[in-house]
């Protein structure tokens, strides 16, 4: 059974919060809530819409949950205080640092609806110099650099997709905890007025948008944003599909995991998010099955591609990046080969999220938690290494300390150089992600896994 977004992510989005004995919080205060299964969250009561309760997470995201699924005590509280809560999170409080603790898997759940908050898409104009192709705008978590001037109303609609995707990835029980790069302050995106300037920036010619991990920037041409020039003004087509945008933003939000994950998970998770029904800042995440079936239907109608075209399942799962690129870049049927890789990756990710084992995605969450643990080791080491380098800079300024080149230096005997941090024993590469696939196999042979995949999809009317 699915539950709304916040019970899956509250501990990820909010710092731990305890109520003082005998002190009842006001309706608009951050409060602990409990569902009928005993799972907890931290959020503000924003109001009631029929039989749905509207909550505001500490990250500024608005989420809904059925009143009947809350504990009796919380239902009573809402019936007494169920009016729109005054105020809300303070401006600028939307980007919450990681708590350092992860919600236990058994307390995570899949969201029904994920909706972006109004505050997240408020636009700030930082700079507008069209003659220099430098127009900079900001939403809550993104900074957009455009080659041409865009009206705030247009930028708000563009930001709606970006910020909604951030809300979705944070809401999914994958435990990704997307946070903007600390040194940049916000996620970076660059908009190009022409395909020529887009390709000149290094983007693939046949792409509609691309995320470069090297500079952590999402590049996208105006065309892929649904922008149309009428006279001297750019207008946005509200009916334009945002598939590519959602896909690449997902990569951007999962940047810290890209160095560990096999390519099929990187692309499969992005295909998963882009397939979820979306409209005007609202993801119908609970309709993921209909999104899958529509995706399969489109592949068959547009490209005559079916599930029968898939390669061996274990072969696909254990495929290295080099092998992936070799298949995708084969001049003979390049586009079709690429689409087949993406198609099978999405189907696999969907299986592990919703059809494997207990149907709750437990093995997939355990796998991603292993990636998060490895990522944390790397982050801690990188922090200590940065501190060491700073300490060495100060050490080199001391009298008698000389740099000899090639990393060598001399110093007086009475001085002691800062100790270099010990590098943790870790692979810190995609090989680590491939090695940890045993978590997903969980003792099953390739044949048993394939049989489980077939039976899983059979339950929802799909034949593998």
């Amino acid at each position: 059974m699915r539950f709304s977004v916040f019970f899956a992510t509250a501990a990820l989005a909010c710092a731990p919060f305890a109520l003082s004995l005998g002190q009842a919080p006001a309706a608009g205060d951050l409060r602990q809530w409990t569902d009928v299964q005993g799972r907890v969250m931290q959020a503000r009561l924003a109001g009631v819409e029929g039989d749905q309760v509207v909550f505001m997470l500490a990250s500024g995201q608005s989420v809904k949950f059925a009143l009947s699924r809350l504990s009796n005590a919380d239902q009573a509280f809402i019936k007494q205080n169920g009016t729109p809560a005054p105020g809300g999170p303070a401006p600028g409080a939307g980007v919450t640092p990681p708590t350092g603790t992860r919600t236990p898997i058994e307390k995570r759940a899949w969201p029904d609806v994920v909706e972006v908050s109004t505050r997240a898409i408020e636009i700030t104009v930082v700079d507008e110099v069209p003659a220099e192709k430098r127009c900079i705008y900001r939403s809550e978590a993104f900074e957009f650099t455009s080659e041409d001037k865009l009206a705030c109303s247009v930028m708000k609609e563009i930001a709606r997709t970006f910020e909604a995707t951030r809300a979705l990835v944070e809401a999914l029980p994958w435990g990704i905890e997307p946070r903007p790069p600390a040194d940049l302050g916000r996620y970076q995106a660059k908009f190009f007025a022409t395909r020529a300037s887009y390709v000149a920036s290094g983007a693939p010619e046949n792409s509609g948008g691309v995320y470069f991990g090297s500079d952590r920037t999402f590049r996208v041409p105006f065309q892929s944003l649904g922008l149309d020039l009428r006279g001297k003004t750019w207008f946005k087509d509200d009916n334009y599909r945002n598939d590519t945008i959602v896909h690449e933003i997902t990569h951007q939000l999962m940047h810290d995991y890209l160095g560990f994950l096999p390519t099929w998970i990187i692309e499969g998770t992005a295909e998963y998010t882009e397939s979820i029904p979306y409209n005007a800042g609202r993801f119908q995440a609970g309709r993921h099955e209909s999104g899958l079936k529509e995706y399969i239907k489109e592949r068959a109608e547009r490209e005559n591609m079916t599930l029968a075209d898939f390669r061996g399942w274990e072969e696909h799962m254990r495929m290295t990046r080099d092998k992936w690129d070799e298949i995708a870049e084969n001049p003979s049927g390049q586009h079709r080969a690429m689409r087949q890789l993406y198609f099978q990756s999405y189907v696999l990710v969907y299986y592990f999220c919703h059809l494997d084992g207990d149907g709750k995605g437990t093995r997939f969450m355990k796998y991603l938690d292993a990636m998060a643990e490895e990522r944390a080791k790397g982050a801690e080491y990188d922090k200590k290494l940065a501190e060491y380098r700073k300490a060495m800079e100060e050490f080199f300024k001391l009298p008698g300390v000389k740099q000899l080149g090639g990393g060598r230096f001399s110093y007086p005997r009475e001085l002691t150089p800062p100790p270099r941090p010990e590098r943790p024993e870790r692979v810190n590469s995609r090989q680590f992600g491939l090695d940890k696939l045993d978590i997903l196999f969980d003792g099953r042979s390739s044949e048993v896994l394939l049989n489980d995949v077939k039976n899983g999809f059979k339950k929802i009317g799909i034949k593998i």
Side-chain angles (χ1 to χ4, degrees), residues 83-99:
T83 56
V95 180
T96 308
T99 63

Side-chain angles (χ1 to χ4, degrees), residues 194-247:
T194 66
R195 283 203 64 81
S197 61
Y198 168 67
V199 173
S201 75
E205 291 188 12
N206 63 345
S207 64
V210 62
Y211 173 64
F212 282 161
S214 56
D215 62 4
R216 293 170 292 177
T217 300
F218 174 29
R219 292 164 168 78
V220 59
F222 277 21
Q223 180 185 15
S224 293
L225 294 170
L227 296 178
D228 180 38
L229 185 61
R230 303 173 195 170
K232 296 183 178 181
T233 304
W234 291 97
F235 291 85
K236 189 175 189 310
D237 180 0
D238 292 334
N239 295 317
Y240 189 82
R241 290 185 58 166
N242 294 285
D243 299 8
T244 298
I245 306 299
V246 174
H247 183 109

